[in-house]
Amino acid sequence: MSIETRDPLQHPEVQLARGRHYVGAYVVSLLLTGGPLWLVVRHLGTPRRLMIVVIASAAALTLVQGYFWLRLDFSRTQRWMTAALVLFIPLVVMTIGLTAWMFATLYARTMIPTLMHAPAFGH
Amino acid sequence: MSQDAHVDSATAVLWDRGGTKHDMIATRTFGFWLYLLSDAMIVSSLFASYLVLGHRVNAAAGPSAGDVVHPIAAFWGTVLLFSAILAYGGAMVGLKRGDRRAVLAGLGGAFVLGAGFLFVEGRDFAELALHGMVPERSGYLSAFYTLVLYHGAHLVFGLLWIAVMMAQVARQGFTANVIYRLLNLKLFWFFQGFVWIYVFSFVYLTGALHVH
Amino acid sequence: MLVDYPGPWTFLLGRLDAREIPLQNPILLWTFVLVSVGAVAVIGAVTYYGSWGYLWREWLTSLDHKRIGVMYCLLGVAMMFRGFIDGVMMRTQQLMAVGPKSPGYMGALHGYLPPYHFGQIYSAHGTIMILFAITPILVGIMNIIVPLQIGARDMAYPYLNAMSFWLTAAATGLVMISLFVGDFSHAGWVGLSPLTELAYSPGVGVDYWSWAVQIGGVGTTLASINIIATIIKMRAPGMSWTRMPIFCWTALSASVVGLSSFPVLTAAVALLSLDRYAGTHFFTPGLGGNLMLYTDLFWIWGHPEVYYVVLPAFGILSEIIPTFSEKPLFGYVTMAAASIAIGGVSWSVWLHHFFTMGAGPGVNAFFSIASMLVGIPTGVKVFNWAFTLYRGRVRFDVPMLWALGALVLLLTGGLTGMMLAMPAINYTVHNSVFVVAHFHNMLNVVGFACFGAINYWFPKVFGFRLDERTGKLAFWFFSAGTVVLFGSMYALGFMGMPRRMDYIPFTSWRPLLMGEEAGILLFLVASYYFVKQLFVSIRDRAKNRVTASDAWGTSRSLEWLTHSPVPFYNFAVQPHINSRDEWAWRREHGLGHVRPDRYEDIHLPDNTPLPVMLGACAFALGFGLVWRMYWLAASGLVGIVVLVIARSFQDGPGHTVPGARIRQMEASYAAAPGEVGAARDPVGGVAAWQTASAPRPRAGDGRPARP
């Protein structure tokens, strides 16, 4: 666990910078945000399908940026950071997901019925 | 316990002989990463609020997502933000070589591009405000502004930090302390890209989904 | 200004003017007089003894994890007294205001507290007890013990550690000053929404509460980061995960819970502040706000927070029970797994705080089942402790008494918790004092564990044991008080008494209310004995001096390997870990006396006043925001930013203690029996012999090791 580095510039976390990875992730990031944008703005698909595309591209971007930019992998240097992130993902999902689920059922019971099925994201 | 049986008390090493020094840089970056994850929980709460307050009722007969978001402007912001991150990546590649000028150039580039992102965002918001779409208008707009501006406030803080780091790199060179701060700032700056993925996807793109 | 509120505003003082100092309220006036007299006495004494320099150099600016831990504990214990007095006032009001014929005093229709004042007291009681009493005490204990148990020199980030403490202290200061300047929130410790909105609470009370919670929340989040990083990165060589003491496992699990949940609290309360200051509509009843969202966000923090406090308490029990059963802990692996499991499940149970809100049956069923699942790992722990006791050589020292008391309380508290996890029962007892009795029951588990921990680790930190007789009296009175008070409260809950009542309409409840009052009087006696215990022990510290590193003779984990009191460098040489219960292993193999044969230089950070100054700036920020003195708030914020940047340019080089000096200190420690160094310190301990020699370490002690 202990790495003694005389020259801090030789520290593994400094040395893991990779110019090519950075540029590659940059290009992919722009494609994965520009692509869905184009589809959405042009209405190329039903809202449900487009939603799936948006979710999928966000998930893919998470992996791309996480691996190529933040270098989150299971190497000796980075594994605790990766582990911490992996442990936090369920908490994020639960915070948002369970809250959304709770309020979906709550709104169905407490809000005015005629407005029930019309979210603000639309019409 | 059974595992203790393996250690012979006669020959056991009782005191550390290696002079174990813990890795200061890795400890600092790990702690900062934990801070970023806790910050991610604030972002999650804001996303949860945004989702809950996205109901028609919460728009209070005012503008809803479709009226508020400008995905194309946001995309130009995205390009600037990702470029700012790439510039910081350039600084990191320079740091690997110990090239002070490259690090300063990368930091400077990140500063300018990050400021550019804030400019695009600010202009977008100014236009919204001009049309009366201000946070005080409705629960939905409160959640929208708070979520997007929370990310923006991080960038403002990041710019300040970049300026401080440029001064430190120029004055002190690459000491261990400067290097761990550069690494922390890298995590911070890259993390804003992470957060922006979700803001762009689930606020701007999703909001624009239903515009006809 | 962005939002409308009643009353005048001036640039210099914001909303503050002389009328905000509640001189007309006799209770507050007398409290103020009392506090002032006390403050003058303390300041006078410190000045008389010329201890300002000592206090500043050795404590306030210290980065030593033990001293910061002690300050955390002192803060927590002091606030616990404050919260306790709030409790006495509430119980007395409820007893006095029973039935329409009950008389009223001091402006109240019934009893002696008008509803608004009563509301402030119960809000302050809850906020203080959870956030500013129990949390600081536990953070303090973790601060002191975790680095010692893993064989580290200090926490991973000593500077951040001091900063967390001073942020907590600043938040506590905000709560305390609200007594005398303005008022406190009357909307419950949970901040009942939308009562907390500006339209319904236009005063500064809610602002005091919200800024104290936010500043304190940041402090606790940072403390959690520190503990996690310390455990992951700073363990001594040989200390694998399966050799780590259970207290560290629970501290790790609790800190993960704290790190992930406190930000949500900060977010929830910050959104409320946006409503109050920026005019947004998150939780307002009109214009698209959703007050239920606040409840949801608050409890996303609120329930994990319960585990944040209970997990270290479980860890404390897991340390005390084996020591006084003279046996290793039963089921180490399941204990560690249960600690992590409790932390994990704690994240999916929060909705059981508002089953009645009206979510669908599927949602309620999910959260009900998740809440009951917590019972499994907790049950595992209870059985493990029971099996540790089984056929042990049980000694009833004071820490053990507290631990066993906690075990009994955990049983009743856990079972009533199971009842509350069922939505059907929950609907009937929702917002009744049954719920209040349940969570006081559980928090008493934590309280008992804290008292146990204070008794157990006191000699480690200060070098002398706490007095046995008064300690036992404190325990028995406290236990009796718990049974009488919360037994009555459970019964009242079944009778349907709602919580937070300043007036009780039914005279038939009077006997049980008298029971509650009797219980709290027993608590009063217990706290008298607790104070007496501290007083007697400090007075007779020469008598209770610990001459061995192991104060109890049968302790097991690593912290007992180093001297008592612990020197400022913790371990002269980092120990190499060979076993799960390292100290017990060395003692049983006759290695307790073996000292290192060579000493190396030790590098330590310099003390710095910056954390105190940061705390002062945070206080200014909070106070300025409460009173809307925007210049003060802005100065506080700018002060924080400037201090952080200034610190980053300083690169505190720290100082090195040469190995030769360590050798000399260790030698003098071994040679000089008695209390040379400790006596110099007013309270006798915590690295007292930084500059002098000190009590004698006779590693190992007279007790024969059990095979």
Side-chain angles (χ1 to χ4, degrees), chain A residues 33 54 58, chain B residues 43 46-47 50 69 71 74 78 81-82 117 121 125 143-152 191-208:
Chain A
T33 44
V54 169
Chain B
V43 177
L46 295 179
F47 264 109
Y50 182 76
V69 297
T78 309
L81 180 66
F82 288 168
F117 171 86
E121 190 165 77
F125 283 174
F144 167 77
Y145 275 100
T146 308
L147 176 57
V148 180
L149 281 177
Y150 189 69
H151 176 264
F191 205 78
Q192 304 318 315
F194 241 34
V195 173
W196 185 254
I197 296 172
Y198 301 105
V199 174
F200 183 72
S201 301
F202 297 114
V203 175
Y204 285 96
L205 289 185
T206 313

Side-chain angles (χ1 to χ4, degrees), chain C residues 73-118:
Chain C
C73 289
L74 282 175
L75 181 79
V77 169
M79 289 310 280
M80 198 176 245
F81 274 105
R82 155 84 207 272
F84 171 67
I85 290 166
D86 289 336
V88 175
M89 290 174 77
M90 282 149 66
R91 292 272 67 82
T92 309
Q93 163 71 15
Q94 286 197 332
L95 182 63
M96 286 169 75
V98 184
K101 289 189 188 129
S102 55
Y105 308 94
M106 295 195 288
L109 202 53
H110 298 278
Y112 70 106
L113 293 172
Y116 185 65
H117 193 181
F118 184 78

Side-chain angles (χ1 to χ4, degrees), chain C residues 134 324 327 411 425 483 575:
Chain C
I134 283 190
F324 296 100
K327 264 177 73 184
L411 215 58
I425 296 181
V483 173

Side-chain angles (χ1 to χ4, degrees), chain B residues 81-150:
Chain B
L81 180 66
F82 288 168
S83 308
I85 292 176
L86 185 67
Y88 200 99
M92 286 293 104
V93 174
L95 180 69
K96 193 173 160 187
R97 295 195 310 267
D99 181 347
R100 194 187 289 207
R101 195 170 293 173
V103 171
L104 285 175
L107 289 176
F111 188 95
V112 172
L113 290 163
F117 171 86
L118 285 173
F119 176 74
V120 169
E121 190 165 77
R123 219 180 47 172
D124 190 27
F125 283 174
E127 197 190 316
L128 287 178
L130 216 61
H131 291 86
M133 298 181 198
V134 288
E136 295 96 314
R137 174 64 188 82
S138 72
Y140 167 72
L141 281 172
S142 301
F144 167 77
Y145 275 100
T146 308
L147 176 57
V148 180
L149 281 177
Y150 189 69

Side-chain angles (χ1 to χ4, degrees), chain C residues 50-91:
Chain C
S51 308
W52 282 113
Y54 165 80
L55 210 60
W56 177 256
R57 279 192 312 274
E58 298 289 321
W59 289 90
L60 303 185
T61 60
S62 176
L63 298 188
D64 184 327
H65 72 99
K66 301 173 288 294
R67 288 175 190 240
I68 292 170
V70 169
M71 290 194 288
Y72 258 122
C73 289
L74 282 175
L75 181 79
V77 169
M79 289 310 280
M80 198 176 245
F81 274 105
R82 155 84 207 272
F84 171 67
I85 290 166
D86 289 336
V88 175
M89 290 174 77
M90 282 149 66
R91 292 272 67 82

Side-chain angles (χ1 to χ4, degrees), chain C residues 9-175:
Chain C
W9 182 86
T10 55
F11 177 78
L12 203 58
L13 288 176
R15 299 180 72 185
L16 184 62
D17 69 35
R19 277 165 305 176
E20 297 288 353
I21 297 171
L23 292 171
Q24 70 287 0
N25 184 325
I27 299 173
L28 288 174
L29 183 64
W30 282 106
T31 317
F32 184 65
V33 169
L34 215 67
V35 170
S36 311
V37 170
V40 168
V42 170
I43 292 172
V46 172
T47 313
Y48 178 78
Y49 290 108
S51 308
W52 282 113
Y54 165 80
L55 210 60
W56 177 256
R57 279 192 312 274
E58 298 289 321
W59 289 90
L60 303 185
T61 60
S62 176
L63 298 188
D64 184 327
H65 72 99
K66 301 173 288 294
R67 288 175 190 240
I68 292 170
V70 169
M71 290 194 288
Y72 258 122
C73 289
L74 282 175
L75 181 79
V77 169
M79 289 310 280
M80 198 176 245
F81 274 105
R82 155 84 207 272
F84 171 67
I85 290 166
D86 289 336
V88 175
M89 290 174 77
M90 282 149 66
R91 292 272 67 82
T92 309
Q93 163 71 15
Q94 286 197 332
L95 182 63
M96 286 169 75
V98 184
K101 289 189 188 129
S102 55
Y105 308 94
M106 295 195 288
L109 202 53
H110 298 278
Y112 70 106
L113 293 172
Y116 185 65
H117 193 181
F118 184 78
Q120 289 180 50
I121 290 177
Y122 68 63
S123 309
H125 173 76
T127 309
I128 287 174
M129 282 302 203
I130 294 199
L131 282 168
F132 301 111
I134 283 190
T135 303
I137 293 179
L138 288 172
V139 173
I141 293 171
M142 290 193 272
N143 236 304
I144 299 171
I145 299 305
V146 165
L148 291 174
Q149 281 197 334
I150 62 172
R153 274 271 181 265
D154 204 323
M155 300 286 274
Y157 321 111
Y159 176 77
L160 186 74
N161 199 17
M163 210 170 105
S164 317
F165 170 73
W166 286 108
L167 285 177
T168 310
T172 315
L174 277 181
V175 177

